[in-house]
Amino acid sequence: MTDAELLTRITVRPDVFGGKPLVRDMRIAVEHVLGMLAAGDSAETILEEYPDLTPEDIQACLLFAHRSIAGDRVHDRVPVREAS
């Protein structure tokens, strides 16, 4: 999967979690996945606890974080979903 394809897995919905980046428009925030990884949880543990996530979702969260910290304007490319 290319970086561009991975980043399409990250979405923003102004009506969910205050517009924080989400994984595939689900109610799972990128920051939550990153927080679990930072706390020492393995990708396997995260996938067990959140069976709707895929390894590509975790990779997308890491890529999003990397690009954000590196100064890439990744937020401009994240799809914003309208409130439903």
Side-chain angles (χ1 to χ4, degrees), residues 57-68:
D57 294 329
I58 295 172
Q59 187 178 0
C61 290
L62 291 168
L63 178 62
F64 181 86
H66 173 262
R67 291 281 183 90
S68 296

Side-chain angles (χ1 to χ4, degrees), residues 17-48:
F17 297 144
K20 292 182 179 184
L22 306 170
V23 178
R24 287 188 292 123
D25 209 25
M26 298 185 291
R27 290 181 176 266
I28 302 173
V30 169
E31 74 176 87
H32 182 69
V33 174
L34 295 172
M36 291 180 73
L37 291 168
D41 289 326
S42 68
E44 291 78 19
T45 298
I46 295 169
L47 295 172
E48 287 172 13

